[in-house]
Coordinates of all heavy atoms in Angstrom, one line a residue:
M1 N 0.8 -1.2 0.0 CA 0.0 0.0 0.0 C 0.9 1.2 0.0 O 1.8 1.3 0.8 CB -0.9 0.0 1.2 CG -1.7 1.2 1.4 SD -2.8 1.3 2.8 CE -3.4 -0.3 2.9
P2 N 0.6 2.2 -0.8 CA 1.4 3.4 -0.9 C 1.4 4.2 0.4 O 0.3 4.2 1.1 CB 0.8 4.2 -2.0 CG 0.0 3.3 -2.8 CD -0.4 2.2 -1.9
A3 N 2.4 4.9 0.7 CA 2.5 5.8 1.9 C 1.4 6.8 1.8 O 1.1 7.3 0.8 CB 3.8 6.4 2.0
G4 N 0.7 7.1 3.0 CA -0.3 8.1 3.1 C -1.7 7.5 2.8 O -2.7 8.3 2.9
F5 N -1.8 6.3 2.4 CA -3.1 5.7 2.2 C -3.6 4.9 3.4 O -2.7 4.4 4.2 CB -3.1 4.7 1.0 CG -3.1 5.4 -0.3 CD1 -2.0 6.1 -0.8 CD2 -4.2 5.4 -1.1 CE1 -2.0 6.8 -2.0 CE2 -4.3 6.1 -2.3 CZ -3.1 6.8 -2.8
I6 N -4.9 4.7 3.6 CA -5.4 3.9 4.6 C -6.4 2.9 4.0 O -7.0 3.2 3.0 CB -6.1 4.7 5.8 CG1 -7.2 5.6 5.2 CG2 -5.1 5.6 6.5 CD1 -8.0 6.2 6.3
V7 N -6.7 1.8 4.7 CA -7.7 0.9 4.2 C -8.9 1.1 5.1 O -8.9 1.2 6.3 CB -7.2 -0.6 4.4 CG1 -8.3 -1.6 4.1 CG2 -5.9 -0.8 3.6
I8 N -10.1 1.3 4.4 CA -11.3 1.5 5.0 C -12.2 0.3 4.6 O -12.5 0.1 3.4 CB -12.0 2.8 4.7 CG1 -11.1 3.9 5.1 CG2 -13.4 2.9 5.3 CD1 -11.5 5.3 4.7
P9 N -12.8 -0.4 5.5 CA -13.7 -1.5 5.2 C -15.0 -0.9 4.5 O -15.4 0.2 4.8 CB -14.0 -2.2 6.5 CG -13.7 -1.2 7.5 CD -12.7 -0.3 7.0
T10 N -15.5 -1.7 3.6 CA -16.8 -1.2 2.9 C -18.0 -1.8 3.6 O -19.1 -1.6 3.1 CB -16.8 -1.6 1.4 OG1 -16.6 -3.0 1.3 CG2 -15.6 -0.9 0.7
V11 N -17.8 -2.5 4.7 CA -18.9 -3.1 5.4 C -18.8 -2.7 6.9 O -17.7 -2.8 7.4 CB -18.9 -4.7 5.3 CG1 -20.0 -5.2 6.2 CG2 -19.1 -5.1 3.9
F12 N -19.9 -2.1 7.4 CA -19.9 -1.7 8.8 C -20.6 -2.8 9.6 O -21.8 -3.1 9.3 CB -20.6 -0.4 8.9 CG -20.3 0.3 10.2 CD1 -19.3 1.3 10.3 CD2 -21.0 0.0 11.4 CE1 -19.0 1.9 11.5 CE2 -20.7 0.7 12.6 CZ -19.7 1.6 12.6
P13 N -19.9 -3.4 10.6 CA -20.6 -4.5 11.3 C -21.8 -4.1 12.0 O -21.8 -3.1 12.7 CB -19.5 -5.0 12.3 CG -18.2 -4.4 11.8 CD -18.6 -3.2 11.0
E14 N -22.9 -4.8 11.9 CA -24.2 -4.5 12.6 C -23.9 -4.5 14.1 O -24.5 -3.6 14.8 CB -25.2 -5.6 12.2 CG -26.5 -5.5 12.9 CD -27.4 -4.4 12.3 OE1 -27.2 -4.0 11.1 OE2 -28.2 -3.8 13.0
S15 N -23.1 -5.4 14.6 CA -22.9 -5.4 16.1 C -22.2 -4.1 16.6 O -22.5 -3.6 17.6 CB -22.0 -6.6 16.5 OG -20.8 -6.6 15.8
K16 N -21.3 -3.6 15.8 CA -20.6 -2.3 16.1 C -21.6 -1.2 16.1 O -21.6 -0.3 16.9 CB -19.4 -2.1 15.2 CG -18.7 -0.8 15.5 CD -18.0 -0.9 16.9 CE -17.1 0.3 17.1 NZ -16.5 0.3 18.4
A17 N -22.5 -1.1 15.0 CA -23.5 -0.1 14.9 C -24.4 -0.2 16.1 O -24.8 0.9 16.7 CB -24.3 -0.3 13.6
Q18 N -24.8 -1.4 16.5 CA -25.7 -1.5 17.7 C -25.0 -1.0 18.9 O -25.7 -0.2 19.7 CB -26.0 -3.0 17.9 CG -26.9 -3.3 19.1 CD -28.3 -2.7 18.9 OE1 -28.8 -2.5 17.8 NE2 -29.0 -2.4 20.0
I19 N -23.8 -1.3 19.2 CA -23.1 -0.8 20.4 C -23.0 0.8 20.3 O -23.3 1.4 21.3 CB -21.7 -1.4 20.4 CG1 -21.8 -2.9 20.8 CG2 -20.8 -0.6 21.5 CD1 -20.5 -3.6 20.6
L20 N -22.6 1.3 19.2 CA -22.5 2.8 19.1 C -23.9 3.4 19.3 O -24.0 4.5 19.9 CB -22.0 3.2 17.7 CG -20.5 2.8 17.5 CD1 -20.1 3.1 16.0 CD2 -19.6 3.6 18.4
A21 N -25.0 2.9 18.7 CA -26.3 3.4 18.9 C -26.7 3.4 20.3 O -27.3 4.3 20.8 CB -27.3 2.6 18.0
E22 N -26.5 2.2 21.0 CA -26.9 2.1 22.4 C -26.1 3.1 23.3 O -26.7 3.8 24.2 CB -26.6 0.7 22.9 CG -27.6 -0.3 22.4 CD -27.2 -1.8 22.7 OE1 -26.1 -2.0 23.4 OE2 -27.9 -2.7 22.3
Q23 N -24.9 3.4 23.0 CA -24.1 4.3 23.7 C -24.7 5.8 23.5 O -24.8 6.5 24.5 CB -22.6 4.3 23.3 CG -21.9 3.1 23.8 CD -20.5 2.9 23.2 OE1 -20.2 3.6 22.2 NE2 -19.7 2.0 23.8
E24 N -25.0 6.1 22.3 CA -25.5 7.4 22.0 C -26.9 7.6 22.6 O -27.1 8.7 23.2 CB -25.5 7.6 20.5 CG -26.0 9.0 20.1 CD -25.1 10.1 20.5 OE1 -23.9 9.9 20.8 OE2 -25.5 11.3 20.7
V25 N -27.7 6.6 22.5 CA -29.1 6.7 23.1 C -29.0 6.9 24.6 O -29.7 7.7 25.2 CB -30.0 5.5 22.7 CG1 -31.2 5.5 23.5 CG2 -30.3 5.6 21.2
E26 N -28.1 6.1 25.2 CA -27.9 6.2 26.7 C -27.5 7.6 27.1 O -28.0 8.1 28.1 CB -26.9 5.1 27.1 CG -26.6 5.1 28.6 CD -27.7 4.5 29.4 OE1 -28.5 3.7 28.9 OE2 -27.9 4.9 30.6
T27 N -26.5 8.1 26.3 CA -26.0 9.5 26.7 C -27.2 10.5 26.5 O -27.4 11.4 27.4 CB -24.9 9.8 25.7 OG1 -23.8 8.9 26.0 CG2 -24.3 11.2 26.0
M28 N -27.9 10.4 25.4 CA -29.0 11.4 25.2 C -30.1 11.2 26.2 O -30.6 12.2 26.8 CB -29.6 11.1 23.8 CG -28.8 11.6 22.6 SD -29.7 11.5 21.0 CE -29.9 9.8 20.8
S29 N -30.4 10.0 26.6 CA -31.5 9.8 27.5 C -31.1 10.3 28.9 O -31.9 10.9 29.6 CB -31.8 8.3 27.6 OG -32.7 8.0 28.6
K30 N -29.8 10.1 29.3 CA -29.3 10.5 30.6 C -29.4 12.1 30.7 O -29.8 12.6 31.7 CB -27.9 10.0 30.9 CG -27.4 10.5 32.2 CD -26.2 9.7 32.7 CE -25.6 10.2 34.0 NZ -26.4 11.0 34.8
R31 N -29.0 12.7 29.6 CA -29.0 14.2 29.5 C -30.5 14.7 29.7 O -30.7 15.6 30.4 CB -28.5 14.7 28.2 CG -27.0 15.0 28.3 CD -26.5 15.7 27.1 NE -25.7 14.8 26.3 CZ -25.8 14.6 25.0 NH1 -26.6 15.3 24.3 NH2 -25.1 13.7 24.4
I32 N -31.4 14.0 29.0 CA -32.8 14.4 29.1 C -33.3 14.2 30.5 O -34.0 15.1 31.1 CB -33.7 13.7 28.1 CG1 -33.3 14.1 26.7 CG2 -35.2 13.8 28.4 CD1 -33.9 13.2 25.6
D33 N -33.0 13.0 31.1 CA -33.5 12.7 32.4 C -32.9 13.7 33.5 O -33.6 14.2 34.3 CB -33.1 11.3 32.8 CG -33.9 10.2 32.2 OD1 -35.0 10.6 31.6 OD2 -33.6 9.1 32.3
D34 N -31.6 14.0 33.4 CA -31.0 14.9 34.3 C -31.6 16.3 34.3 O -31.7 16.9 35.3 CB -29.5 14.9 34.1 CG -28.8 13.6 34.5 OD1 -29.4 12.8 35.2 OD2 -27.6 13.5 34.1
K35 N -31.9 16.7 33.0 CA -32.4 18.1 32.9 C -33.8 18.2 33.2 O -34.2 19.2 33.8 CB -32.1 18.5 31.4 CG -32.4 20.0 31.2 CD -31.8 20.5 29.9 CE -32.0 22.0 29.7 NZ -31.4 22.5 28.6
F36 N -34.7 17.3 32.8 CA -36.1 17.5 32.8 C -36.9 16.6 33.8 O -37.9 16.9 34.3 CB -36.7 17.3 31.4 CG -36.2 18.3 30.4 CD1 -35.4 17.9 29.4 CD2 -36.6 19.6 30.5 CE1 -34.9 18.7 28.5 CE2 -36.1 20.5 29.6 CZ -35.3 20.1 28.6
R37 N -36.3 15.4 34.1 CA -37.1 14.5 34.9 C -36.5 14.1 36.2 O -37.0 13.3 36.9 CB -37.3 13.2 34.1 CG -38.1 13.4 32.8 CD -38.5 12.1 32.2 NE -39.1 12.4 30.9 CZ -38.5 12.0 29.8 NH1 -37.4 11.4 29.8 NH2 -39.1 12.3 28.6
G38 N -35.3 14.6 36.5 CA -34.6 14.3 37.7 C -34.3 12.8 37.9 O -34.2 12.3 39.0
G39 N -34.0 12.1 36.8 CA -33.6 10.7 36.8 C -34.7 9.7 37.2 O -34.4 8.8 37.9
L40 N -35.9 10.0 36.8 CA -37.0 9.1 37.1 C -36.8 7.7 36.6 O -36.1 7.5 35.6 CB -38.4 9.6 36.6 CG -38.8 10.9 37.2 CD1 -40.1 11.4 36.4 CD2 -39.1 10.8 38.6
E41 N -37.4 6.7 37.2 CA -37.2 5.3 36.7 C -37.8 5.2 35.3 O -38.7 5.9 34.9 CB -38.0 4.3 37.7 CG -37.4 4.2 39.0 CD -36.0 3.6 39.0 OE1 -35.8 2.6 38.3 OE2 -35.1 4.1 39.7
Y42 N -37.3 4.2 34.6 CA -37.8 4.0 33.2 C -39.2 3.3 33.2 O -39.4 2.3 33.9 CB -36.9 3.0 32.4 CG -35.6 3.6 32.0 CD1 -35.3 5.0 32.3 CD2 -34.7 2.9 31.2 CE1 -34.1 5.5 31.8 CE2 -33.5 3.5 30.8 CZ -33.3 4.8 31.1 OH -32.1 5.4 30.6
S43 N -40.2 3.9 32.6 CA -41.5 3.3 32.4 C -41.4 2.4 31.2 O -40.5 2.5 30.4 CB -42.5 4.4 32.2 OG -42.3 5.1 31.0
D44 N -42.5 1.6 31.0 CA -42.6 0.8 29.8 C -42.6 1.7 28.5 O -42.0 1.4 27.5 CB -43.8 -0.1 29.8 CG -43.7 -1.2 30.8 OD1 -42.6 -1.5 31.2 OD2 -44.7 -1.7 31.2
E45 N -43.3 2.8 28.6 CA -43.4 3.8 27.5 C -42.0 4.3 27.2 O -41.6 4.5 26.0 CB -44.3 4.9 27.8 CG -44.5 5.9 26.7 CD -45.4 7.0 27.1 OE1 -46.4 6.8 27.8 OE2 -45.2 8.2 26.7
K46 N -41.2 4.7 28.2 CA -39.9 5.2 28.0 C -39.0 4.1 27.4 O -38.2 4.4 26.5 CB -39.3 5.7 29.3 CG -37.9 6.3 29.0 CD -37.3 7.1 30.2 CE -36.0 7.6 29.8 NZ -35.3 8.2 30.9
R47 N -39.1 2.9 27.8 CA -38.3 1.8 27.3 C -38.6 1.7 25.8 O -37.7 1.5 25.0 CB -38.5 0.5 28.0 CG -37.8 0.4 29.3 CD -37.9 -1.0 29.9 NE -37.3 -1.0 31.2 CZ -38.1 -0.9 32.3 NH1 -39.4 -0.9 32.2 NH2 -37.5 -0.9 33.5
A48 N -39.9 1.7 25.4 CA -40.3 1.6 24.0 C -39.7 2.8 23.2 O -39.2 2.6 22.1 CB -41.8 1.5 23.9
H49 N -39.7 3.9 23.8 CA -39.2 5.1 23.1 C -37.7 5.0 22.9 O -37.1 5.3 21.8 CB -39.4 6.4 23.9 CG -38.9 7.6 23.3 ND1 -39.3 8.1 22.1 CD2 -37.9 8.4 23.7 CE1 -38.7 9.2 21.8 NE2 -37.8 9.4 22.8
L50 N -37.0 4.4 23.9 CA -35.5 4.2 23.8 C -35.2 3.2 22.7 O -34.2 3.3 21.9 CB -34.9 3.8 25.1 CG -34.8 4.9 26.2 CD1 -34.3 4.3 27.5 CD2 -34.0 6.0 25.8
V51 N -36.0 2.2 22.5 CA -35.8 1.2 21.5 C -36.0 1.9 20.1 O -35.2 1.7 19.2 CB -36.8 0.0 21.6 CG1 -36.8 -0.9 20.4 CG2 -36.4 -0.8 22.8
R52 N -37.0 2.7 20.0 CA -37.2 3.4 18.7 C -36.0 4.4 18.4 O -35.5 4.5 17.3 CB -38.5 4.2 18.7 CG -39.7 3.4 18.6 CD -41.0 4.2 18.4 NE -41.3 5.2 19.4 CZ -41.9 4.9 20.5 NH1 -42.3 3.7 20.8 NH2 -42.1 5.8 21.4
M53 N -35.5 5.1 19.5 CA -34.4 5.9 19.3 C -33.1 5.1 18.9 O -32.4 5.5 18.0 CB -34.0 6.7 20.6 CG -35.0 7.8 20.9 SD -34.6 8.6 22.5 CE -33.0 9.2 22.3
N54 N -33.0 3.9 19.5 CA -31.8 3.1 19.2 C -31.9 2.7 17.7 O -30.8 2.7 17.0 CB -31.9 1.9 20.1 CG -30.6 1.1 20.1 OD1 -29.7 1.3 19.3 ND2 -30.6 0.1 20.9
V55 N -33.0 2.3 17.2 CA -33.1 1.9 15.8 C -32.8 3.1 14.9 O -32.1 3.0 13.9 CB -34.5 1.3 15.5 CG1 -34.8 1.2 14.0 CG2 -34.7 0.0 16.2
G56 N -33.3 4.3 15.2 CA -33.1 5.4 14.4 C -31.6 5.8 14.5 O -31.0 6.2 13.4
E57 N -31.0 5.7 15.6 CA -29.6 6.1 15.7 C -28.7 5.1 14.9 O -27.8 5.5 14.3 CB -29.2 6.0 17.2 CG -27.8 6.5 17.5 CD -27.6 8.0 17.1 OE1 -28.5 8.8 17.2 OE2 -26.4 8.4 16.8
R58 N -29.1 3.8 15.0 CA -28.3 2.8 14.2 C -28.4 3.1 12.7 O -27.4 3.0 12.0 CB -28.9 1.4 14.5 CG -27.9 0.3 14.0 CD -28.3 -1.1 14.6 NE -29.7 -1.4 14.2 CZ -30.6 -1.8 15.0 NH1 -30.4 -1.9 16.3 NH2 -31.8 -2.2 14.6
R59 N -29.6 3.4 12.3 CA -29.8 3.8 10.8 C -28.9 5.0 10.5 O -28.3 5.0 9.4 CB -31.3 4.1 10.5 CG -32.1 2.9 10.5 CD -33.5 3.2 10.2 NE -34.4 2.0 10.2 CZ -35.6 2.0 10.6 NH1 -36.2 3.1 10.9 NH2 -36.3 0.9 10.5
Q60 N -28.9 6.0 11.4 CA -28.1 7.2 11.1 C -26.6 6.8 11.0 O -25.9 7.3 10.2 CB -28.3 8.2 12.2 CG -27.6 9.5 11.9 CD -28.1 10.2 10.6 OE1 -29.3 10.3 10.4 NE2 -27.1 10.5 9.7
I61 N -26.1 5.9 11.9 CA -24.7 5.5 11.8 C -24.4 4.9 10.5 O -23.4 5.2 9.8 CB -24.4 4.5 13.0 CG1 -24.4 5.2 14.3 CG2 -23.1 3.7 12.7 CD1 -24.4 4.3 15.5
F62 N -25.3 4.0 9.9 CA -25.1 3.4 8.6 C -25.1 4.5 7.5 O -24.3 4.5 6.6 CB -26.1 2.3 8.3 CG -25.8 1.0 9.0 CD1 -26.5 0.5 10.1 CD2 -24.7 0.3 8.5 CE1 -26.1 -0.7 10.7 CE2 -24.4 -0.9 9.1 CZ -25.1 -1.4 10.2
R63 N -26.1 5.4 7.6 CA -26.1 6.5 6.6 C -24.9 7.3 6.6 O -24.3 7.6 5.5 CB -27.3 7.4 6.9 CG -28.7 6.9 6.4 CD -29.7 8.0 6.4 NE -30.1 8.4 7.7 CZ -31.0 7.9 8.5 NH1 -31.8 6.9 8.1 NH2 -31.3 8.4 9.7
D64 N -24.4 7.7 7.8 CA -23.1 8.4 7.9 C -21.9 7.6 7.3 O -21.1 8.2 6.6 CB -22.8 8.8 9.4 CG -23.8 9.8 9.9 OD1 -24.6 10.4 9.2 OD2 -23.8 10.0 11.2
F65 N -21.9 6.3 7.6 CA -20.8 5.5 7.1 C -20.8 5.5 5.6 O -19.8 5.7 4.9 CB -20.9 4.1 7.7 CG -19.9 3.1 7.1 CD1 -18.6 3.2 7.6 CD2 -20.3 2.1 6.2 CE1 -17.7 2.3 7.1 CE2 -19.4 1.2 5.7 CZ -18.1 1.3 6.2
F66 N -22.0 5.2 5.0 CA -22.0 5.1 3.5 C -21.8 6.5 2.9 O -21.2 6.6 1.8 CB -23.3 4.5 3.1 CG -23.4 3.0 3.4 CD1 -24.3 2.5 4.2 CD2 -22.5 2.2 2.8 CE1 -24.4 1.2 4.5 CE2 -22.5 0.8 3.1 CZ -23.4 0.3 3.9
K67 N -22.2 7.6 3.5 CA -21.9 8.9 3.0 C -20.4 9.1 3.0 O -19.8 9.7 2.1 CB -22.6 10.0 3.8 CG -22.3 11.4 3.2 CD -23.1 12.4 4.0 CE -22.8 13.8 3.4 NZ -21.6 14.1 2.7
M68 N -19.7 8.7 4.1 CA -18.3 8.9 4.2 C -17.6 8.1 3.0 O -16.7 8.6 2.4 CB -17.8 8.3 5.5 CG -16.3 8.4 5.6 SD -15.6 7.4 6.9 CE -15.9 5.8 6.4
L69 N -18.1 6.9 2.8 CA -17.5 6.1 1.7 C -17.7 6.8 0.3 O -16.8 6.8 -0.5 CB -18.1 4.7 1.6 CG -17.8 3.7 2.7 CD1 -18.5 2.4 2.5 CD2 -16.3 3.5 2.8
D70 N -18.9 7.3 0.1 CA -19.2 8.0 -1.1 C -18.3 9.3 -1.3 O -17.7 9.5 -2.3 CB -20.7 8.5 -1.2 CG -21.6 7.3 -1.5 OD1 -21.1 6.3 -1.9 OD2 -22.8 7.5 -1.2
D71 N -18.1 10.0 -0.2 CA -17.3 11.2 -0.2 C -15.8 10.8 -0.5 O -15.2 11.5 -1.3 CB -17.4 11.9 1.2 CG -18.7 12.6 1.4 OD1 -19.5 12.7 0.4 OD2 -19.0 13.0 2.5
L72 N -15.4 9.7 0.1 CA -14.0 9.3 -0.1 C -13.8 8.8 -1.6 O -12.8 9.1 -2.2 CB -13.6 8.2 0.8 CG -13.4 8.6 2.3 CD1 -13.2 7.3 3.1 CD2 -12.2 9.5 2.4
E73 N -14.8 8.2 -2.1 CA -14.7 7.7 -3.5 C -14.7 8.9 -4.5 O -13.9 8.9 -5.4 CB -15.9 6.8 -3.8 CG -15.8 6.2 -5.2 CD -17.0 5.2 -5.4 OE1 -17.3 4.5 -4.5 OE2 -17.5 5.2 -6.6
Q74 N -15.5 9.9 -4.2 CA -15.5 11.1 -5.0 C -14.2 11.9 -4.9 O -13.7 12.3 -5.9 CB -16.7 12.0 -4.6 CG -18.0 11.5 -5.0 CD -19.1 12.4 -4.6 OE1 -18.9 13.5 -4.1 NE2 -20.4 11.9 -4.7
L75 N -13.7 11.9 -3.7 CA -12.4 12.6 -3.5 C -11.3 11.8 -4.3 O -10.4 12.4 -5.0 CB -12.0 12.6 -2.0 CG -10.7 13.3 -1.7 CD1 -10.7 14.8 -2.0 CD2 -10.4 13.1 -0.2
N76 N -11.3 10.5 -4.2 CA -10.3 9.7 -4.9 C -10.5 9.8 -6.4 O -9.5 9.9 -7.1 CB -10.5 8.2 -4.5 CG -9.4 7.3 -5.0 OD1 -8.3 7.7 -5.0 ND2 -9.8 6.2 -5.5
D77 N -11.7 9.9 -6.9 CA -11.9 10.0 -8.3 C -11.5 11.4 -8.9 O -11.1 11.5 -10.0 CB -13.4 9.8 -8.7 CG -13.9 8.4 -8.5 OD1 -13.0 7.5 -8.4 OD2 -15.1 8.2 -8.5
S78 N -11.4 12.4 -8.0 CA -11.1 13.7 -8.5 C -9.6 13.9 -8.6 O -9.1 14.9 -9.1 CB -11.6 14.8 -7.5 OG -11.0 14.7 -6.2
H79 N -8.8 12.9 -8.1 CA -7.3 13.0 -8.1 C -6.8 12.2 -9.3 O -6.9 11.3 -9.8 CB -6.7 12.6 -6.8 CG -6.9 13.6 -5.8 ND1 -7.9 13.5 -4.8 CD2 -6.3 14.7 -5.5 CE1 -7.8 14.5 -4.0 NE2 -6.9 15.3 -4.4

């Protein structure tokens, strides 16, 4: 491989996306609880909301990953 180049996988592991999504949702949820709810216990409704947030966050991670690949491909093509 030429100097200055890096290898980027073209597949993002689902398990890694799940972990990143859970971490982001946990951080967002804690900020919301600390600010507005004083750390109340999780209700069934809140758990369901967190699951929806998790799915949305995981999708966003994949969108960001594929956008990065597209951007790198365009950058590479321009040289």
Side-chain angles (χ1 to χ4, degrees):
M1 176 181 315
F5 281 75
I6 59 171
V7 175
I8 297 175
T10 57
V11 176
F12 197 95
E14 179 76 25
S15 59
K16 182 65 173 173
Q18 179 67 26
I19 290 167
L20 292 172
E22 288 172 0
Q23 289 171 346
E24 184 62 25
V25 168
E26 180 73 25
T27 299
M28 286 187 295
S29 179
K30 181 164 179 13
R31 270 190 253 135
I32 291 167
D33 284 351
D34 289 348
K35 187 168 185 174
F36 299 108
R37 297 191 190 111
L40 296 175
E41 293 294 317
Y42 284 2
S43 65
D44 289 341
E45 181 180 323
K46 181 172 180 184
R47 281 191 188 97
H49 178 68
L50 290 176
V51 167
R52 287 191 300 276
M53 285 176 61
N54 193 352
V55 169
E57 187 65 29
R58 192 170 61 233
R59 287 181 182 146
Q60 185 61 49
I61 288 167
F62 279 109
R63 280 193 294 268
D64 292 348
F65 176 74
F66 288 117
K67 181 177 181 333
M68 178 198 65
L69 289 179
D70 287 343
D71 292 348
L72 287 172
E73 186 174 322
Q74 289 176 10
L75 181 64
N76 188 42
D77 289 346
S78 69
H79 287 98

